Amino acid sequence: MFTKRRGLVAVAIGACLALLAPAYTGVAEPATAKTGRTLFEVTAPDSAARTKVARTGVDVLGQNKDVLTVAAEPFQQFALRATGLKVKSLGDYEAQLAALGKSDFTDREVGALDFPSGYTGYHNYAETVAELNQTVTDHPNLVKLQSIGKSYEGRDLWALKISNSPNTDQAKPEVLFTCNQHAREHLTVEMCLRIIKQYTDGYATNASIKALVDSREIWVVPSVNPDGAEYDIASGSFRSWRKNRQPSATDPNRNWGYKWGCCGGSSGSVSSETYRGPSAFSAPETQRVRDFVNSRVVGGVQQIKSHIDWHTYSELILWPYGYTTADTAPGLDANQAKAFSTLGKQMAAKNGYTPEQSSDLYITDGSVNDWMWFQHKIWSYTFEMYPTSSGAGGFYPRDTQIAPQTSRNDSAVELFLQYSDCVPRIIGQSC
Ligand code: 0X9
Ligand code: ZN
């Protein structure tokens, strides 16, 4: 009975997507997911070692202290061992992915286009859109919903604005939250939806929430990469898909236009999980967010002052630059680095994450934070959410974790919003 209902829901969602995304059906089938991967734990105690691992081309899934968890295809395993680092096999990654969500066989569908049993609390694309529309219905005087353009497969990239006068462009500092650049990082969509709920439902009853909404304009983009996220769940078992769905699938977080491809922090090969694309902003999704952010320059002044890009997993708070391990570099002086790290550490004290400059994790080039900061002087952080632990469950915590792991960030987000108009205030400087 329940299985049948889910089947009907899946058909309805499929039909709905076809209507929403007319370009969808005409697209040539892009490269499919990988097979034959093995999970490994690699002991890599510093950024240099972790960057070396990333450069072998393996898929870096997460970091817990000195240990990186990676998924390697057979041809990559030689290079992984050739790093000279300690490598331990955790077995067949495909088998572990296939086991997720299979606890109740009567409640699963093959090709269900939806999350499996144990994960139905997560929002797929149609459910995310429905939730955003419901928010507009519930709070017409607090939010405005707009599309900032379409993904490669033609899905709208939605931005919800929260403001006490949402249809007016007020002269107030603006702040941006983006989620789901990486397809498989589904918990981040829930984080953006949590922020939306907190700052809309909470407005009438919570004085500090009201004060923040009254003094700012808050933009939330719950899914920057909806094509990848839908592809990750479309078969009924998770694919551990990271990139977008262009035929030459591109890592959105290596496709941004500052220091694109500069420093060995991304890959030029199409098959890599960190493929940077043929040129900066070759991905429609990064173009759309770039154009939206550029459009917030009003009278020569960027209105968006600060930004969090949500990822999973490893429980980290990261700040620029990612392309260099230097603490200061063109466009980032010692004072600014101090302001970044001070707010980063204070937010980490709220949620228990580990704060560090992003290149302390490993070198990345073409990441969103570096572009936001260099191009617009937007105080741009990456939050890597729950869990810290390794294994195939890393990207796929059960839906029972949604409430605890998103609410865990409430006080860090509140602190971020308090300083979002002028991050240097946290070190006693003015803007
Ligand atoms: O590699 C990434 O893009 C992020 N990690 S993830 O596991 N979610 O893929 C980290 C990005 C860190 N940001 C910068 N280095 N700027
Ligand atoms: Zn990510």
Side-chain angles (χ1 to χ4, degrees):
M1 180 66 175
F2 191 44
T3 302
K4 195 168 171 205
R5 185 186 67 78
R6 283 175 54 85
L8 288 172
V9 169
V11 170
I13 290 168
C16 183
L17 281 181
L19 288 173
L20 283 169
Y24 195 91
T25 45
V27 172
E29 180 61 19
T32 49
K34 307 216 152 115
T35 53
R37 293 169 291 183
T38 303
L39 268 183
F40 291 95
E41 282 182 352
V42 186
T43 305
D46 54 27
S47 172
R50 290 189 285 270
T51 300
K52 189 157 78 169
V53 173
R55 284 177 182 163
T56 66
V58 299
D59 186 3
V60 179
L61 308 182
Q63 178 223 354
N64 189 9
K65 304 197 179 80
D66 287 357
V67 176
L68 279 186
T69 302
V70 307
E73 295 177 75
F75 77 93
Q76 294 169 328
Q77 295 176 18
F78 180 80
L80 187 61
R81 293 190 192 280
T83 60
L85 300 166
K86 190 178 152 208
V87 170
K88 180 180 149 200
S89 171
L90 297 181
D92 182 342
Y93 190 38
E94 315 303 339
Q96 292 174 47
L97 287 170
L100 296 171
K102 278 198 171 156
S103 56
D104 177 0
F105 284 90
T106 61
D107 188 26
R108 289 191 78 258
E109 300 274 327
V110 173
L113 262 176
D114 199 1
F115 285 97
S117 173
Y119 296 87
T120 53
Y122 284 89
H123 291 73
N124 64 26
Y125 181 73
E127 290 162 347
T128 301
V129 175
E131 181 73 27
L132 295 173
N133 283 311
Q134 187 63 46
T135 307
V136 175
T137 304
D138 293 346
H139 302 285
N141 300 319
L142 268 188
V143 301
K144 180 184 78 167
L145 183 60
Q146 71 180 64
S147 170
I148 60 169
K150 289 189 187 292
S151 68
Y152 178 74
E153 289 180 342
R155 293 182 179 85
D156 276 305
L157 305 178
W158 293 106
L160 189 87
K161 180 186 178 187
I162 307 172
S163 155
N164 65 5
S165 181
N167 297 307
T168 322
D169 186 6
Q170 299 171 304
K172 291 180 181 172
E174 299 179 22
V175 51
L176 174 66
F177 297 99
T178 50
C179 290
N180 198 203
Q181 269 207 88
H182 290 141
R184 60 196 172 190
E185 299 171 11
H186 302 286
L187 186 60
T188 66
V189 175
E190 306 307 318
M191 190 66 230
C192 268
L193 293 177
R194 168 85 186 180
I195 292 168
I196 290 169
K197 265 223 149 325
Q198 287 291 105
Y199 287 85
T200 54
D201 288 355
Y203 185 82
T205 51
N206 182 319
S208 58
I209 281 178
K210 181 173 187 303
L212 287 168
V213 172
D214 285 346
S215 58
R216 280 134 183 61
E217 295 171 281
I218 302 170
W219 296 96
V220 186
V221 181
S223 182
V224 170
N225 182 8
D227 299 350
E230 288 286 286
Y231 180 71
D232 192 50
I233 61 172
S235 74
S237 47
F238 297 119
R239 288 171 152 133
S240 196
W241 188 259
R242 171 182 170 92
K243 299 188 284 180
N244 75 356
R245 291 297 293 158
Q246 286 179 277
S248 297
T250 298
D251 180 349
N253 208 27
R254 298 294 183 279
N255 191 240
W256 294 79
Y258 183 60
K259 296 279 182 187
W260 176 84
C262 70
C263 303
S266 60
S267 174
S269 41
V270 174
S271 61
S272 168
E273 293 296 348
T274 54
Y275 177 53
R276 67 178 81 99
S279 56
F281 295 115
S282 56
E285 297 82 8
T286 56
Q287 278 176 36
R288 300 291 100 85
V289 180
R290 172 200 65 189
D291 292 349
F292 169 70
V293 170
N294 287 347
S295 79
R296 297 314 304 145
V297 176
V298 179
V301 180
Q302 174 57 255
Q303 303 298 298
I304 299 172
K305 305 301 179 192
S306 37
H307 167 235
I308 296 177
D309 190 43
W310 295 88
H311 289 255
T312 67
Y313 64 98
S314 295
E315 299 187 3
L316 306 170
I317 295 180
L318 307 172
W319 54 83
Y321 284 124
Y323 80 87
T324 173
T325 53
D327 296 350
T328 61
L332 178 62
D333 68 24
N335 269 329
Q336 293 164 331
K338 185 78 191 152
F340 262 120
S341 67
T342 304
L343 178 56
K345 285 172 187 167
Q346 289 195 22
M347 293 190 292
K350 300 280 186 193
N351 65 5
Y353 291 7
T354 301
E356 61 190 6
Q357 186 179 331
S358 62
S359 53
D360 291 342
L361 175 58
Y362 45 75
I363 296 279
T364 56
D365 47 49
S367 77
V368 64
N369 299 141
D370 288 8
W371 182 83
M372 291 275 182
W373 175 253
F374 184 82
Q375 193 66 33
H376 287 287
K377 291 295 169 282
I378 293 171
W379 298 87
S380 178
Y381 289 85
T382 287
F383 276 47
E384 296 269 4
M385 296 177 69
Y386 174 88
T388 54
S389 63
S390 63
F395 294 113
Y396 303 108
R398 292 295 174 116
D399 59 10
T400 49
Q401 288 293 341
I402 293 173
Q405 295 303 331
T406 58
S407 63
R408 175 181 178 179
N409 285 309
D410 288 349
S411 56
V413 167
E414 189 178 350
L415 185 71
F416 172 74
L417 283 169
Q418 280 161 0
Y419 285 99
S420 66
D421 60 315
C422 176
V423 170
R425 196 171 65 244
I426 204 154
I427 55 167
Q429 297 183 346
S430 54
C431 287

